[in-house]
């Protein structure tokens, strides 16, 4: 077998969709498993919809996921001369012809055919046109075979047979000189020596048309593998109504690329009952044989579970850096002061058992870095635990913490026990007001961990702020 060469060829007309990412991932894994070549090609000939911002989103999303490419990114708009020369070759060989039908005429005929219950296909009237209309630029159409069958030997779907009389004469080059998708992709895949086209099964109906063009140009078609589409939990096509559908959105809401890659690899592919795979394991085990023929259902809960797993398993320095990025995104530049950055890893390790996303972690971590006067306190927690009744306890806690040699459990536990005995209260009655004063919430890591991570200076500042607010509220009530 010749060296495996595959490609991911997105159109830059919007965000990088989950379905596109799954396609890119399967191509990438296939290339890496076979020590082949993975190519990134940007199909940007739709000038009305293609944008530089979308191209940047595709490139950045691929880099974030770790799907590196060996060649590219190529852009179709840089290759227009190649498409035009190949179209001219088909014209010279009488395998294509000039078509002068206007878009308006074609649309009218399409509507008429549909109204009569007929197949909407070009009627071939320009095939034998002898007198071209004046002052009208022609498109170039492919002269498709009218008889027989076109058979697709698909590596996922199996053999799929298309009747040639159901396929029409496709436009190869529009009147403005730009290629259509079906023509450009054949020219590109041939020029780039693509051996396997792995793509979504929404392209299956394009495949017989492309095979015909390959053969007309004298090229051997690559092998095809059409992946099942991805459905939402309600078994309809995955869309925005199901929640986030772009890579960038998942990145922004705090998902790790490891979780995304692991989850998407399992959408339509399996290896026994295994659910968790490292990237290297995926490369070693991936093949097209286990890819299913039926649609895959996107399960947000399973993705969230995997994300929590990878957060828990992450290296402390890495998760600390990611936490810093999300604190910056959520709260702005300078939220974490330079002298506090060394604590990011410690805070992340303390929170990673509780956080399912990095956004959740950032929200829980904010109290360790925010200026006490600016910390938001949950109103219900404040009303329940920061009261005139708990103020004496908070004042005694502040005195004990100020005098403590260290804020870990060993340094504070004897003092806390003394307060509990003298006040005749349980640990929860001490810990919860303290927790709310320090974090603004009723949940957190263990209270000694919170104290240690926060540091004495900030702990005292939070307690002072809480005491002042209780006193102000009490004076207002009086």
């Amino acid at each position: 077998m010749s060296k495996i060469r595959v490609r991911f060829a997105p159109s830059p007309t919007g965000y990088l969709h989950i379905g596109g990412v799954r396609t890119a991932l399967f191509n990438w894994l296939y290339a890496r498993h076979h020590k082949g070549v993975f190519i990134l090609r940007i199909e940007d000939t739709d000038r009305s919809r293609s944008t530089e911002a979308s191209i940047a989103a595709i490139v950045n999303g691929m880099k974030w996921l770790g799907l590196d490419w060996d060649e590219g990114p190529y852009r179709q708009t840089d290759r227009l001369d190649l498409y035009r020369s190949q179209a001219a070759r088909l014209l010279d060989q009488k395998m294509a012809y000039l078509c002068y039908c206007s878009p308006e005429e074609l649309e009218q005929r399409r509507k008429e055919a549909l109204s009569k219950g007929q197949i909407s296909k070009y009627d071939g009237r320009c095939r034998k046109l002898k007198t071209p209309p004046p002052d009208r630029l022609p498109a170039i159409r492919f002269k498709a075979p009218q008889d027989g069958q076109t058979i697709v030997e698909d590596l996922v779907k199996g053999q799929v047979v298309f009747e040639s009389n159901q396929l029409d004469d496709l436009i190869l080059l529009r009147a403005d000189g730009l290629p259509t998708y079906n023509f450009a992709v054949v020219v590109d895949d041939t020029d780039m020596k693509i051996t396997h086209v792995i793509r979504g099964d929404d392209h299956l109906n394009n495949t017989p048309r492309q095979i015909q063009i390959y053969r007309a140009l004298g090229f051997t078609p690559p092998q095809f593998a059409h992946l099942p589409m991805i459905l939402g939990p309600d078994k309809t096509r995955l869309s925005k109504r199901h929640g986030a559908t772009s890579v960038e959105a998942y990145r922004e809401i705090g998902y790790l690329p490891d979780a995304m890659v692991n989850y998407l690899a399992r959408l339509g592919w399996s290896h026994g009952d295994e659910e968790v795979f490292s990237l290297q394991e995926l490369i070693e085990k991936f093949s097209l044989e286990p890819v299913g023929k039926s649609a895959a259902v996107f399960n947000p809960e399973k993705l969230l579970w995997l994300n929590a797993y990878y957060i828990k398993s992450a290296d402390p320095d890495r998760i600390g850096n990611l936490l810093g990025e999300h604190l910056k995104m959520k709260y702005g530049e300078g939220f974490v002061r330079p002298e506090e950055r060394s604590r990011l890893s410690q805070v992340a390790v303390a929170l990673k058992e509780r956080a399912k996303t990095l956004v959740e972690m950032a929200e829980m971590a904010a109290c360790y870095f925010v200026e006490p006067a600016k910390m938001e306190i949950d109103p219900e927690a404040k009303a329940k635990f920061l009261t005139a009744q708990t103020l004496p306890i908070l004042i005694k806690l502040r005195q004990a913490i100020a005098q403590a040699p260290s804020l870990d459990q060993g340094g504070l536990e004897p003092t806390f026990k003394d307060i509990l005995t003298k006040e005749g209260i349980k640990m929860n009655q001490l810990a919860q007001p303290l927790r709310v004063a320090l974090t603004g919430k009723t949940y957190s890591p263990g209270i000694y961990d919170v104290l240690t991570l926060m540091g004495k200076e900030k702990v005292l500042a939070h307690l002072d702020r809480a005491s002042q607010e209780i006193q102000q509220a009490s004076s207002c009530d009086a």
Side-chain angles (χ1 to χ4, degrees):
M1 182 183 292
S2 60
K3 191 177 185 69
I4 297 292
R5 291 176 64 86
V6 297
R7 46 61 165 190
F8 175 52
S11 298
T13 56
Y15 54 79
L16 184 55
H17 190 273
I18 288 296
V21 174
R22 200 262 312 255
T23 297
L25 174 61
F26 279 28
N27 276 279
W28 186 87
L29 288 172
Y30 195 72
R32 295 293 173 259
H33 177 82
H34 290 285
K35 296 180 172 53
V37 176
F38 176 63
I39 297 168
L40 176 60
R41 185 174 76 221
I42 307 297
E43 300 191 339
D44 61 343
T45 55
D46 187 346
R47 289 176 169 172
S48 65
R49 299 175 62 211
S50 298
T51 67
E52 293 299 321
S54 293
I55 294 174
I58 290 168
V59 170
N60 291 336
M62 296 280 285
K63 288 180 178 178
W64 179 66
L65 291 165
L67 304 183
D68 56 328
W69 49 91
D70 305 299
E71 295 181 18
Y74 298 114
R75 294 176 62 156
Q76 286 186 328
T77 49
D78 295 332
R79 301 165 56 80
L80 298 179
D81 288 344
L82 180 60
Y83 311 133
R84 291 165 184 163
S85 67
Q86 293 289 14
R89 184 157 75 88
L90 289 176
L91 269 177
D92 291 341
Q93 296 173 351
K94 309 299 183 185
M95 305 189 82
Y97 58 94
L98 299 179
C99 177
Y100 293 86
C101 300
S102 69
E104 294 76 19
E105 291 168 342
L106 294 171
E107 178 61 19
Q108 181 60 36
R109 290 177 213 153
R110 187 188 72 85
K111 289 180 179 178
E112 290 174 2
L114 292 176
S115 68
K116 297 175 182 178
Q118 299 173 347
I119 296 174
S120 175
K121 56 179 286 189
Y122 183 62
D123 58 13
R125 66 180 60 194
C126 286
R127 270 193 175 215
K128 298 180 180 179
L129 185 67
K130 295 181 179 179
T131 308
D135 304 322
R136 186 180 288 187
L137 292 174
I140 298 178
R141 274 191 188 275
F142 178 60
K143 192 179 288 185
Q146 299 296 293
D147 303 316
Q149 297 175 326
T150 300
I151 299 174
V152 179
E153 300 289 353
D154 195 88
L155 296 175
V156 173
K157 303 288 184 182
Q159 187 180 87
V160 186
V161 179
F162 295 86
E163 299 296 332
S164 294
N165 60 14
Q166 302 295 304
L167 308 176
D168 58 358
D169 293 351
L170 289 177
I171 291 177
L172 304 178
L173 284 187
R174 301 183 184 92
D176 61 5
L178 291 177
T180 58
Y181 164 77
N182 279 300
F183 182 55
V185 75
V186 169
V187 174
D188 284 337
D189 286 346
T190 301
D191 185 63
M192 296 176 187
K193 298 179 174 58
I194 300 301
T195 61
H196 294 73
V197 172
I198 304 170
R199 59 188 178 187
D201 61 8
D202 53 332
H203 285 288
L204 182 57
N205 287 336
N206 290 322
T207 306
R209 296 176 168 88
Q210 292 169 11
I211 288 175
Q212 291 180 349
I213 297 172
Y214 278 109
R215 291 172 178 163
L217 288 168
F219 301 135
T220 301
Q223 291 186 270
F224 292 94
H226 288 90
L227 310 175
M229 69 166 46
I230 301 174
L231 303 179
D234 59 357
K235 306 298 177 66
T236 61
R237 191 178 185 120
L238 187 67
S239 66
K240 289 183 179 179
R241 72 177 178 276
H242 297 113
T245 57
S246 74
V247 167
E248 187 59 31
Y250 279 101
R251 183 179 186 179
E252 289 175 357
I253 59 179
Y255 282 74
L256 271 61
D258 320 55
M260 295 299 301
V261 167
N262 190 156
Y263 181 71
L264 291 175
R266 290 285 287 107
L267 269 183
W269 175 85
S270 63
H271 187 82
D273 296 326
E274 292 180 64
E275 293 289 349
V276 178
F277 298 87
S278 69
L279 198 57
Q280 189 56 43
E281 286 173 333
L282 285 172
I283 291 171
E284 291 171 1
K285 296 175 179 179
F286 186 81
S287 67
L288 291 173
E289 286 78 8
V291 174
K293 296 181 181 180
S294 58
V297 177
F298 189 84
N299 185 334
E301 288 76 21
K302 183 173 285 188
L303 173 57
L304 189 62
W305 175 83
L306 270 173
N307 200 57
Y309 169 84
Y310 279 102
I311 285 176
K312 290 183 181 75
S313 308
D315 173 78
D317 288 338
R318 181 193 178 204
I319 204 71
N321 289 333
L322 290 172
L323 172 59
E325 291 176 11
H326 278 268
L327 286 169
K328 178 180 175 180
M329 285 192 286
K330 186 170 179 64
Y331 301 105
E333 186 76 51
F335 181 78
V336 179
R337 293 179 295 182
E339 62 270 23
E340 294 183 310
R341 292 197 64 83
S342 61
R343 291 197 292 118
L344 282 167
S345 296
Q346 294 172 287
V347 172
V349 169
L351 298 176
K352 67 181 185 178
E353 295 294 329
R354 297 169 176 268
K356 294 181 180 178
T357 70
L358 292 169
V359 165
E360 283 185 9
M361 183 179 283
E363 290 172 350
M364 289 189 282
C367 61
Y368 297 98
F369 303 99
V370 70
E371 293 301 321
K374 297 180 180 179
M375 186 182 73
E376 296 181 5
I377 300 178
D378 178 76
E380 291 185 11
K382 183 177 181 180
K384 184 175 181 180
F385 293 106
L386 300 186
T387 65
Q389 290 71 36
T390 60
L391 180 59
I393 296 173
L394 293 176
I395 291 173
K396 290 180 179 179
L397 282 169
R398 190 206 186 283
Q399 294 171 345
I401 290 168
Q403 296 171 7
S406 68
L407 299 191
D408 59 14
Q409 187 166 352
L412 282 176
E413 191 169 32
T415 305
F416 278 23
K417 285 183 177 179
D418 184 56
I419 295 173
L420 295 175
T421 301
K422 290 179 179 178
E423 296 294 326
I425 58 176
K426 296 180 180 180
M427 183 62 182
N428 188 56
Q429 293 172 284
L430 179 150
Q432 278 301 79
L434 179 57
R435 179 175 283 110
V436 173
L438 298 181
T439 70
K441 300 178 177 65
T442 56
Y443 55 89
S444 74
I447 194 64
Y448 295 112
D449 292 331
V450 172
L451 291 162
T452 302
L453 289 169
M454 194 166 284
K456 182 178 289 190
E457 179 183 348
K458 209 152 233 175
V459 166
L460 296 178
H462 277 295
L463 286 171
D464 288 341
R465 181 256 179 116
S467 297
Q468 289 168 8
E469 291 202 5
I470 294 172
Q471 291 167 349
Q472 289 171 1
S474 298
S475 63
C476 289
D477 293 340

